[in-house]
Amino acid sequence: MPISSNNDVAKRLFVALDVPDADSALKLAEQLAPAGVSFKVGMQLFYAAGMRIVKELQTDGRTVFVDLKLHDIPNTVAGAMKSLLRQGVQFVNVHTQGGPDMMRAAAEAARQVSEETGTPRPIVIGVTLLTSLSQAHLNQFLGVNQDVKTYVQHLARQAKDCGLDGIVCSAQEASFIRSACGPDFLLVTPGIRPTQDAAGDQSRVITPRQAIQNGADYLVVGRPVIGASNPADAARRIIDEMAEALKA
């Protein structure tokens, strides 16, 4: 994905507004406005404030990633997808472990809504393995007798075959997923931590520079930005690091 300025890079940084209410989210959005970042609305905020907060965050043209990880039978996911997309959501995800029929239903719902509304086709990406899950979780709890790399690569290929635009994955897995799925398959990477920050409850984390070098298209950062005394400055430091990696 080519860049021409740090403003372009900033759009590739999703700041996760993991806060309990709309007022807190809008305050953060105002503080972050000078940095020009995009936003991610996850379950905590969406279930508290619904589409109201998504629409308010979109008013200045910002991209808002609605991170609900839809995971149900195909018909239910297709219906939920249409409800979200008809209200203007342009970036959303499903859980790849819902299976191929469910992923195809989500992709088809996006195509149908695009045709109905005459708007660009929304971006639909798939969640592979949560970054809080380690190799031990995969083997012992999920009962999958594969290493993380092999399993995530398998889910990524399934997502691409089913018509999704990309996946959410750890940046540690981005390079080999890029090799397997090609240059046009979007890779969105959470679990990003600036070098000086602790990992928190994430098991598979990486720095912004490493994530870009590994082939990530979009980065998702929460606590290192929203927990900072100056969120815009914290975001700018990450953007600068991303920009340097992209130019290398």
Side-chain angles (χ1 to χ4, degrees):
M1 185 181 294
I3 62 165
S4 59
S5 68
N6 272 26
N7 289 336
D8 293 327
V9 179
K11 295 173 184 177
R12 296 170 60 170
L13 174 60
F14 283 113
V15 173
L17 299 178
D18 294 332
V19 292
D21 54 61
D23 289 343
S24 300
L26 292 173
K27 180 180 178 180
L28 271 170
E30 183 177 357
Q31 292 174 322
L32 285 162
V37 298
S38 300
F39 297 118
K40 182 177 81 71
V41 173
M43 294 180 188
Q44 180 185 19
L45 180 56
F46 190 86
Y47 294 154
M51 278 301 302
R52 170 200 160 196
I53 189 63
V54 175
K55 290 180 177 180
E56 289 197 49
L57 292 170
Q58 288 175 327
T59 53
D60 60 356
R62 296 281 175 84
T63 298
V64 178
F65 169 20
V66 178
D67 176 21
L68 299 181
K69 301 178 181 69
L70 301 179
H71 187 178
D72 211 308
I73 62 172
N75 188 61
T76 297
V77 166
M81 185 68 69
K82 289 178 180 178
S83 293
L84 288 168
L85 302 183
R86 285 170 179 155
Q87 295 182 81
V89 171
Q90 286 293 314
F91 206 114
V92 68
N93 62 358
V94 300
H95 211 302
T96 59
Q97 292 180 49
D101 290 345
M102 189 208 74
M103 287 191 281
R104 291 190 191 99
E108 175 61 15
R111 185 194 65 78
Q112 289 178 4
V113 172
S114 176
E115 289 186 355
E116 290 171 8
T117 58
T119 56
R121 184 185 177 281
I123 293 174
V124 182
I125 59 176
V127 175
T128 54
L129 188 68
L130 299 178
T131 52
S132 59
L133 298 181
S134 64
Q135 183 69 56
H137 288 113
L138 179 65
N139 300 148
Q140 298 169 20
F141 179 71
L142 296 179
V144 176
N145 294 319
Q146 292 180 326
D147 59 59
V148 167
K149 175 179 177 179
T150 302
Y151 184 62
V152 170
Q153 191 176 68
H154 164 72
L155 292 175
R157 284 176 168 151
Q158 289 289 312
K160 182 177 182 180
D161 290 346
C162 292
L164 299 193
D165 300 293
I167 60 164
V168 180
C169 65
S170 166
Q172 293 180 355
E173 291 123 28
S175 59
F176 59 82
I177 293 172
R178 174 67 68 218
S179 297
C181 297
D184 298 326
F185 194 64
L186 296 178
L187 302 183
V188 180
T189 58
I192 303 298
R193 292 289 183 272
T195 304
Q196 68 272 20
D197 288 358
D201 61 3
Q202 306 280 6
S203 294
R204 302 187 337 274
V205 299
I206 205 163
T207 67
R209 182 186 303 275
Q210 291 170 323
I212 293 296
Q213 290 173 339
N214 285 359
D217 293 298
Y218 295 91
L219 275 56
V220 178
V221 180
R223 283 166 285 188
V225 172
I226 68 172
S229 57
N230 188 319
D233 282 350
R236 286 192 191 99
R237 286 193 292 272
I238 294 171
I239 293 162
D240 288 343
E241 189 173 340
M242 292 168 66
E244 289 174 6
L246 285 162
K247 292 172 183 176

